[in-house]
Structures are given as C-alpha cells and as structure tokens.
Amino acid sequence: MSRSIYWRIVIPFLSVVLAAVVIASVGAISLVWVLSAAALAVIGISFLISRSIARPVKRLTAAVRQMATGELDHQTDIGTTDELGVLGRVLEEMAAGMKQTMATLSEEKGRLATVLSTMTDGVIVTEAAGNVVLANPAAGRLCSFEGASVQGRPLIEVIHDHEIDAAVRECQTTGMGRDIQLDSAGGRFLRAIVVPLQTGKAAGVLTILQDLTEMRSLQTMRREFVGNVSHELRTPLAAIKAIVETLQDGAIEDRPAAMDFLAKVDAEVDGMTQMVNELIELSRVETGKAELNLQPADLNRIVEEVIARLSPQAERAGIALSADLNRNLPRVLADRDRIHQITANIVHNALKFTPSGGKVTVYTRPESDSVVVSVADTGIGISKQDLPHIFERFFKADRSRSTSGTGLGLAIAKHVVQAHSGRIWVRSEEGKGATFSFSLPLQGDSKTSHPVLTNP
C-alpha cells in the first residue's frame, strides 16, 4: 500500500480512537459506548476513504482495458497527485509511446507491402510446419495462384512444384540455402532462391522466384543469331573457295569457263554484301541510330512503283501480280524510301512462295486513324508453328524450299513499321496462302517529334 493511502486510513482511525479515550477518561460517557461510537465513526470514515481510493482505481482499470483494445487516446487523469495520479500519468505516457510505435510499425508495414506488391520477383514465406505465411502478387503470377487465398496452406498445394517444395524442405532441415533453376508447369523458366529464416525456436523459409524466361530466350536468340550468321557466310565462302581453287588448277586458262566462274563469285559476293548491309540496317534500326526522314507520302504511289519494279519477275514465274488501291487514300507521314523497301520485300516474298499460276494482290485501305497496306498471295502458306516466329531474324518458314534470302527482311520490316508508330501482322493457313499487312498512322497521329527508329 502506498504511503499516502496508508496515512489517509490510519490518521483518521487514530484520531477517532484518541478522541474516544479522552472522552472516557473524563468520565462523561462509559467507555463501551464511546468505543462503539468510535467504531461506527471509523466504519463510516473507512467507507468514505475506500470510495475515494476505489474511484481512481476504477478509472485506471477502465483506462487499461481501453488501451488493451487499442484505444490509446484515452485520458487517464484521475485528478489526484498521489501515487495513483502518478500511475495515471505514467499510463498516459506509455499509451502515447505505444501509439507512436504502432504508427511507425504501420508505416513500415505499408512500405513493405508496397515493395512486395511492386516487385517483379516472387516472394513466398513459409513457417516451420511448411505452410505459407506470406506471398506477394508476383509469386501468384509466376505460380498461378491468388495471394490472399494461400495463407495457412501447405506450400506444395500452392505452387504445385515438387522441386521447389523439396528445396524448401531441405533448407528447413539443414539450415542451408539453395539456388535452383527449373522449368515451371506454366512454360516459364524460373530461378528459385531458398534461404532459412530463424524466428525464435521455429525456423521459417524465404523463397524468392525470378522469371528468367525472357533472359533465356535472349540467350537462345543470341546463339541462334551467331549460328545463322555463321551458316549464311559459310556457304558462299565455301563456294568462292572452291571456284578459286578450280581457277588455280588451270580453269583460268579457259576464258569462257573462267568468266562463268567469276560471275558466280560476283553473285556470291553480292549475296554476302546484301546480308551484311541488312545486318547493319537491322542493327541501326534496333539501336535507334537510324533516323527517319518523315515526309507526307502517298502509299498508293509507293505500291504502284513496287509492282512496276517486280512485274517482270512475276511474269517470268507465271504469277499474276496486281493492285487493288483505294483512290481516296489519305497521305501519311513516313520515310518513303524505307516504306518502299519493306513493301518491296513483302511482295518479293509473296512471289517467291507462290507457285506458277497463282496470284499476288496488293491492297490499300483507310481506317479511322491509319492507312493499311496488305499483300495477299495464293502460295504455300505458313504453318501454325511458324507463324509466331515469322518476324524473327533469320527465320525462314519453309527452309526446304527457301534457299535464297537472308531471313532478315521481315525483321527489318517489323522494326521500321513500329518506328513509324504503326504495326505489322500476318494471317495465313498452310496451303491456302498468306496475307501480310502493315498500318501507318495518319499525319495527325504520327509522332513527328521523334524521327528516330527505336527498338520496341
């Protein structure tokens, strides 16, 4: 009991007893009656004192209960200056400190939630029993689950991947981290970094999932690019070397044969020069180093020039080459030379893959915000497996029949069209021909302030 409360009870009690003894000593009233009256007085005083003590105690109790429920703004001033009053002020200070701590924790929690929700890497935390405690949205995208519905569930039920689950179990058992790479069920190539988390006596596990699908695809493209360039150069170089050796063995003395060999060397050199020029152009386009010379252009006129240029080739192949042009076609802002080049490449490809007796038709049409050029043929078409790759570098849809060309024309066309803020696409069915189309925005929609080719 505090000292102030102690004296609040003892002093009145001693005062009453002392008064009773004094009264009894003078003989005014018998001692029994005096003590009885004193006892009643003490009881009354004690009741009043207990109420004065109990009231602030009840206030303190109510304040503590409200704090326990999270109401930290409650005032605990009980109106006294004794130890109970001091205790009330201490509770207020403690509540203020708790409120500040909770605000700081809430802010940190918000930051952590923001970081987790914006991360491209997946994060999964499991507790000692192997159940999921936390999973961010990126993990849900990579493993095809909803983050809010996985808490408390076993990891294997959430990710459906036994390799990751086994790595997590091993990490939990050995306390050693793991770093694995795997092909997921969703067709992605993932890297899983598994590290232990020690919290008290229970060990949890943190799993970080990184999507390496695009990186793997780029590495594959790089290897294929180097392989394709090597292959495309090896063939003409081998032919040139064979011709040179033949000439050195005496064929140079036979002038007609020598001239024929030199013509073949010239053709092979032209082919390699074309490939090198296309590689340079593609590199400039992809790295944004090729500037566009944007001017108002008439696509009908460009199509007519391309048809006039390729009509002799179509006639020799027995293919009907024609145009169906919209005469009300609006002008577009474009680099005329590059659009001429890609249109010629697309028409040339159509002629190359259309058998004798077929036809190739070039269409133009306006749309609400663009102009579209389409090249339709009745050729061999493109298989479903090849369609997604048709605009890739060095890709040739029919390698058994496509012995000429570098396979770079459509890749260049894609980047040039996209640099004009347009789009390019193909529709085809194997054995039923193909239709290549590209669109360019109208002058009001063209990005005239950025006349540089960029890698999309």
Side-chain angles (χ1 to χ4, degrees):
M1 182 181 296
S2 68
R3 185 174 299 174
S4 63
I5 297 175
Y6 176 82
W7 289 114
R8 191 184 301 176
I9 297 173
V10 171
I11 290 175
F13 177 78
L14 292 177
S15 299
V16 172
V17 172
L18 181 60
V21 172
V22 171
I23 293 171
S25 65
V26 299
I29 305 174
S30 66
L31 182 61
V32 175
W33 287 105
V34 171
L35 291 177
S36 298
L40 290 175
V42 169
I43 291 173
I45 294 172
S46 299
F47 176 75
L48 295 175
I49 293 174
S50 65
R51 288 192 61 184
S52 66
I53 295 174
R55 187 180 297 110
V57 171
K58 288 181 179 180
R59 290 180 181 177
L60 288 174
T61 303
V64 171
R65 287 176 177 172
Q66 288 181 326
M67 291 179 187
T69 60
E71 298 181 21
L72 301 179
D73 293 325
H74 182 73
Q75 297 295 323
T76 57
D77 185 10
I78 60 176
T80 65
T81 59
D82 56 12
E83 284 82 352
L84 292 177
V86 173
L87 179 59
R89 289 190 294 274
V90 170
L91 285 175
E92 285 186 353
E93 294 174 359
M94 183 180 69
M98 290 176 61
K99 184 178 179 180
Q100 179 62 38
T101 302
M102 292 181 66
T104 303
L105 290 175
S106 179
E107 184 179 353
E108 293 297 330
K109 182 179 179 181
R111 290 177 182 173
L112 177 61
T114 301
V115 170
L116 289 175
S117 63
T118 56
M119 286 180 62
T120 56
D121 292 345
V123 175
I124 301 176
V125 177
T126 53
E127 38 87 15
N131 297 325
V132 175
V133 176
L134 180 148
N136 70 340
R141 289 193 297 270
L142 294 176
C143 299
S144 302
F145 64 79
E146 292 291 336
S149 62
V150 300
Q151 292 186 1
R153 294 172 55 189
L155 179 63
I156 188 61
E157 293 182 7
V158 173
I159 62 174
H160 304 289
D161 193 297
H162 291 280
E163 289 187 69
I164 298 178
D165 183 66
V168 170
R169 291 178 181 275
E170 181 180 342
C171 175
Q172 193 167 336
T173 302
T174 63
M176 303 294 293
R178 290 287 309 278
D179 189 336
I180 61 174
Q181 296 183 1
L182 62 146
D183 291 303
S184 69
R188 300 176 183 271
F189 183 66
L190 301 180
R191 178 188 183 189
I193 303 172
V194 183
V195 294
L197 293 176
Q198 192 71 29
T199 55
K201 294 183 179 180
V205 175
L206 168 65
T207 303
I208 300 175
L209 302 174
Q210 296 178 341
D211 188 357
L212 303 182
T213 306
E214 185 176 355
M215 183 181 298
R216 188 187 200 187
S217 177
L218 291 174
Q219 291 175 345
T220 301
M221 289 177 61
R222 179 180 60 81
R223 289 193 297 268
E224 291 179 351
F225 176 78
V226 173
N228 285 327
V229 170
S230 302
H231 174 75
E232 295 293 339
L233 290 175
R234 185 188 304 114
T235 301
L237 287 174
I240 291 173
K241 182 174 180 57
I243 291 172
V244 170
E245 289 176 350
T246 303
L247 291 173
Q248 289 175 338
D249 289 341
I252 196 172
E253 303 297 336
D254 185 348
R255 184 172 178 80
M259 295 301 295
D260 181 59
F261 283 135
L262 290 175
K264 292 179 179 179
V265 170
D266 185 60
E268 295 292 353
V269 171
D270 284 345
M272 287 191 294
T273 301
Q274 178 188 354
M275 185 185 68
V276 171
N277 289 337
E278 289 183 348
L279 282 171
I280 293 173
E281 175 70 7
L282 183 60
S283 175
R284 287 168 58 84
V285 168
E286 290 182 333
T287 57
K289 295 180 179 179
E291 294 186 355
L292 289 176
N293 181 21
L294 297 178
Q295 300 291 335
D298 183 356
L299 291 185
N300 281 343
R301 180 61 180 164
I302 293 175
V303 170
E304 289 172 346
E305 292 174 358
V306 169
I307 289 180
R309 171 186 165 190
L310 296 178
S311 287
Q313 177 182 338
E315 291 177 3
R316 289 193 300 268
I319 301 170
L321 176 61
S322 62
D324 184 356
L325 307 179
N326 186 296
R327 293 305 170 182
N328 297 319
L329 199 70
R331 288 174 175 264
V332 294
L333 204 60
D335 186 320
R336 194 180 190 282
D337 292 339
R338 284 190 166 89
I339 297 303
H340 186 286
Q341 176 191 2
I342 66 173
T343 303
N345 284 344
I346 294 173
V347 174
H348 183 268
N349 283 344
L351 293 173
K352 185 166 59 175
F353 292 105
T354 300
S356 179
K359 63 179 181 178
V360 175
T361 307
V362 185
Y363 302 88
T364 60
R365 70 177 188 275
E367 292 189 345
S368 60
D369 58 353
S370 62
V371 173
V372 178
V373 177
S374 297
V375 180
D377 65 61
T378 59
I380 61 176
I382 305 170
S383 67
K384 291 182 179 179
Q385 293 79 10
D386 291 337
L387 272 176
H389 309 285
I390 201 66
F391 294 104
E392 294 178 3
R393 292 173 293 183
F394 290 108
F395 184 81
K396 297 181 181 181
D398 187 4
R399 295 184 180 274
S400 63
R401 299 179 61 179
S402 177
T403 56
S404 62
T406 62
L408 295 172
L410 290 178
I412 294 174
K414 180 189 74 171
H415 289 290
V416 169
V417 169
Q418 290 179 342
H420 283 79
S421 301
R423 63 189 188 96
I424 187 169
W425 67 96
V426 59
R427 293 186 178 90
S428 180
E429 186 175 346
E430 193 169 8
K432 296 184 179 180
T435 300
F436 283 83
S437 303
F438 67 87
S439 66
L440 299 178
L442 298 178
Q443 290 189 31
D445 299 315
S446 297
K447 296 182 179 179
T448 58
S449 59
H450 301 283
V452 178
L453 291 173
T454 57
N455 188 13

